[in-house]
Amino acid sequence: MPQRPPYLSIALVSGAALAYEVLLMRLFSIIQWHHFSYMIIGLALLGYGFSGTVVVIFQRVLLAHFRVAYLACLVLFGVLSVTGFLLAQSLPFNAELMLWDYRQVIYLLVIFLLLSLPFFFAATAICLAFMYYQEQVPRIYAWDLAGAGAGSLAVIGLLFVFFAEHALLVISLLGLLAFLVASREMRNGNYASMAAVFLVSSATLGIVASNVELQMSPYKGLPQTLRISGTSVIEQDSSPFGLVNIVESTQVPF
């Protein structure tokens, strides 16, 4: 057993998971309504709780292959934090139809499952580290908490620089960076292969995430305004305080 746990990668994935949680709250307040942003807390807890159940049931297999399982969880967190959101957006979910269209409940359930997967893999990685390095739990917990605190604060600054949908890519890359750092911390002999996985995954996610467009509810103010003939968005500004769209109409004087 390695003497030193992968402290830095634990801090990175913990910070990325908390940043992802805060970012999802921001995204859902934009694409749906602010009421849905509160469900993200329960969604994150669902991922963490399910992770604990899976680790307890399969702990012997997972701990016997700790390095592979730990690194795989970090990669899957990074990949699914972007792709899971894109898949969730592709579903025709409309909150206004939930009372008379049973399919909307199914869509919402699928969205819950897709968005909880990154939390599941982040929690599994951290939980496995706790179980594998049982004698160093206090130090692991300290790095975990430090990373979570830094991530929840850093995402606020991140939203001053990037639009919310583009910040998803940054958080995804943090997960992949945690994978690369972990392979070095655990002295993995295939570090060149791990670096190649990091570069390929990062490039692929960068291409996928570059075309992300938020699909707002058609009943929100902006989509309704853009239905007026001759209207278009001429400028956007985003921050942790909100998203501002400046709309111009060439035919109707607002």
Side-chain angles (χ1 to χ4, degrees):
M1 179 186 299
Q3 295 299 314
R4 188 178 186 279
Y7 292 126
L8 186 53
S9 63
I10 290 170
L12 283 171
V13 72
S14 180
L18 264 292
Y20 182 62
E21 182 177 355
V22 174
L23 182 59
L24 283 181
M25 296 177 71
R26 185 81 207 99
L27 286 166
F28 266 83
S29 67
I30 295 172
I31 63 178
Q32 290 294 330
W33 309 92
H34 72 276
H35 315 85
F36 281 88
S37 64
Y38 304 127
M39 81 175 186
I40 302 303
I41 299 173
L43 188 152
L45 291 175
L46 172 66
Y48 273 71
F50 184 50
S51 166
T53 303
V54 170
V55 169
V56 168
I57 295 174
F58 299 102
Q59 58 180 305
R60 289 187 179 180
V61 175
L62 292 172
L63 291 176
H65 303 87
F66 169 73
R67 288 192 178 189
V68 174
Y70 181 77
L71 293 173
C73 285
L74 298 182
V75 170
L76 288 170
F77 168 81
V79 171
L80 289 171
S81 57
V82 169
T83 57
F85 181 79
L86 293 178
L87 289 172
Q89 271 215 131
S90 68
L91 295 172
F93 173 68
N94 194 325
E96 285 76 8
L97 303 180
M98 286 184 66
L99 293 179
W100 55 83
D101 185 357
Y102 72 92
R103 291 174 300 178
Q104 301 303 320
V105 178
I106 298 174
Y107 293 146
L108 183 60
L109 177 60
V110 175
I111 289 172
F112 254 77
L113 293 176
L114 286 171
L115 297 181
S116 66
L117 284 176
F119 297 109
F120 168 81
F121 287 111
T124 300
I126 296 170
C127 187
L128 287 175
F130 278 127
M131 298 179 71
Y132 193 71
Y133 301 96
Q134 295 184 20
E135 296 181 357
Q136 302 187 58
V137 166
R139 290 186 178 181
I140 295 174
Y141 193 41
W143 281 83
D144 175 31
L145 288 181
S152 58
L153 290 175
V155 70
I156 305 300
L158 189 66
L159 288 173
F160 278 110
V161 180
F162 297 98
F163 283 88
E165 61 269 31
H166 299 147
L168 267 175
L169 177 60
V170 178
I171 291 174
S172 173
L173 292 178
L174 277 178
L176 295 177
L177 179 61
F179 159 78
L180 189 63
V181 169
S183 65
R184 172 65 73 179
E185 287 183 302
M186 294 189 294
R187 296 180 175 85
N188 194 311
N190 297 322
Y191 185 72
S193 300
M194 300 300 161
V197 171
F198 170 78
L199 292 174
V200 171
S201 302
S202 300
T204 304
L205 289 176
I207 294 171
V208 172
S210 62
N211 297 317
V212 174
E213 290 186 9
L214 298 182
Q215 304 298 322
M216 289 190 187
S217 167
Y219 297 103
K220 297 198 76 174
L222 180 61
Q224 287 291 314
T225 302
L226 292 176
R227 296 183 67 183
I228 300 173
S229 179
T231 56
S232 62
V233 175
I234 60 173
E235 191 166 345
Q236 284 185 317
D237 190 26
S238 180
S239 77
F241 301 107
L243 174 66
V244 177
N245 291 276
I246 301 176
V247 180
E248 178 186 55
S249 174
T250 58
Q251 300 180 23
V252 181
F254 286 134

